[in-house]
């Protein structure tokens, strides 16, 4: 193994990055390097780690090799969906706090095994539900107590995962699903934050556009006992283009009506009939820098105020819905 880096400054946490060929890793990297001392970067295929030299840290193939460094304070976990639960349970066994990408497994049983283990061992963990607290979340909340919400987030074609070094994302047994599992958690989480406990009333998926074994378009409808509703539409229907994606959002509530367009144009019409308009940043990429900063700031407090594993379980129970309301009410 490559010798470990020179001694760290006392106020910089010592971290490892696991599963670094993930397409989000470049969005984490600069902030991770700015806030932490990186001991090791792991991926089963080290050559697939984009711009690996930029980490200035050993790139290793095995999780155990990355975890052999002493005094690890934190792990960022971006491992493939069919491997991530085992990785997280290993971290729990070693008492290492972690920040993990959704969905944390390929089914609810895998996710719940990690949730239970982390609670039993009192190991802090947080989840990269990065839309929470971001510009879209903040603007939607202007509607007041929300009774209706719609989120549409349409990303590029699924072939980008095959070309980008993550072909396992197109295998439903390894990924746990398609667009709904990958893109949906952010917006299901927001809906649960805005509306409160809600059950799945409709779910549809389509493979028609690209013909992959994972869906390229999905719609999920959540409803509360009080009749509030959230409609979440996600997909891989946008072309491979510099614009990257289409998105739009609306919310209606006690204080008025909110709309947000793909170009960031955001409008709020209050109950007094007055409309205000501005432009917000709807690009989700910068939210990962914000997430890393929050992780670094909140680690000492056990990630207080950040998304929890319980939040992820609530979210994925709706996405991996087995019928009825099994597992979705706390």
């Amino acid at each position: 193994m490559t010798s470990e880096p020179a001694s760290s400054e006392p106020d910089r946490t010592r971290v490892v990055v696991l599963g670094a060929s993930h397409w989000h890793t470049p969005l984490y990297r600069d902030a991770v390097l700015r806030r932490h001392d990186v001991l090791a970067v792991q991926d089963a295929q080290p050559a697939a780690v984009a711009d690996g030299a930029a980490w200035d840290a050993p790139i290793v193939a095995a999780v155990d090799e990355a975890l052999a460094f002493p005094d690890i304070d934190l792990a960022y976990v971006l491992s493939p969906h069919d491997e991530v639960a085992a990785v997280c349970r290993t971290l729990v066994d070693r008492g290492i706090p972690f920040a993990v990408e959704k969905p944390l497994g390929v089914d609810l049983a895998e996710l719940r095994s990690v949730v239970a283990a982390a609670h039993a061992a009192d190991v802090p963990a947080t989840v990269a539900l990065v839309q929470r607290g971001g510009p879209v979340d903040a603007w939607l909340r202007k509607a007041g107590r929300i009774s209706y919400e719609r989120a549409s987030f349409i990303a590029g074609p699924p072939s980008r995962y095959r070309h980008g070094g993550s072909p396992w994302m197109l295998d439903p047994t390894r990924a746990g699903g398609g667009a709904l599992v990958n893109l949906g958690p952010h917006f299901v989480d927001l809906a649960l934050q805005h509306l409160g406990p809600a059950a799945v009333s409709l779910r549809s998926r389509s493979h028609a556009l690209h013909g992959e074994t994972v869906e390229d378009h999905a719609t999920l409808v959540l409803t509360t006992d009080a009749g509030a509703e959230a409609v979440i539409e996600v997909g891989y229907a946008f072309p491979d283009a510099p614009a990257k994606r289409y998105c739009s959002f609306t919310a209606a509530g006690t204080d008025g009506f909110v709309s947000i367009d793909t170009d960031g144009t955001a409008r709020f019409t209050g109950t007094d009939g007055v409309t205000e308009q501005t432009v917000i940043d709807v690009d989700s990429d910068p939210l990962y820098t914000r997430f890393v900063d929050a992780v670094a700031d909140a680690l000492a407090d056990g990630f207080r105020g950040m998304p929890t594993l319980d939040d992820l379980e609530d979210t994925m129970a709706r996405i991996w819905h087995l019928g009825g309301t099994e597992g979705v009410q706390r």
Side-chain angles (χ1 to χ4, degrees), residues 67-190:
L67 298 184
F69 285 88
D71 303 321
I72 298 170
D73 298 309
L74 170 71
Y76 286 91
V77 188
L78 301 92
S79 307
H81 297 177
D82 62 332
E83 300 173 13
V84 68
V87 170
C88 290
R89 288 193 297 268
T90 297
L91 294 170
V92 169
D93 289 344
R94 299 186 185 209
I96 299 173
F98 59 93
V100 64
E101 279 277 339
K102 46 65 184 166
L104 211 173
V106 297
D107 57 35
L108 208 50
E110 282 197 339
L111 170 55
R112 284 176 169 163
S113 74
V114 176
V115 176
H119 283 327
D122 198 25
V123 173
T126 188
V127 184
L129 293 169
V130 298
Q131 289 286 345
R132 193 189 296 191
V136 169
D137 182 12
W139 195 263
L140 289 173
R141 288 178 183 272
K142 290 175 71 68
R145 188 174 67 252
I146 295 173
S147 295
Y148 165 77
E149 180 167 306
R150 181 192 58 79
S152 180
F153 193 92
I154 308 299
S159 59
R160 64 200 168 102
Y161 296 109
R162 184 177 292 114
H163 301 149
S166 300
W168 55 269
M169 278 292 288
L170 305 184
D171 178 351
T173 63
R174 296 201 62 197
L180 186 57
V181 160
N182 182 28
L183 304 174
H186 295 295
F187 308 107
V188 172
D189 176 63
L190 286 190

Side-chain angles (χ1 to χ4, degrees), residues 54-66:
W55 285 104
D56 194 26
I59 299 179
V60 301
V63 171
D64 284 346
E65 193 173 358

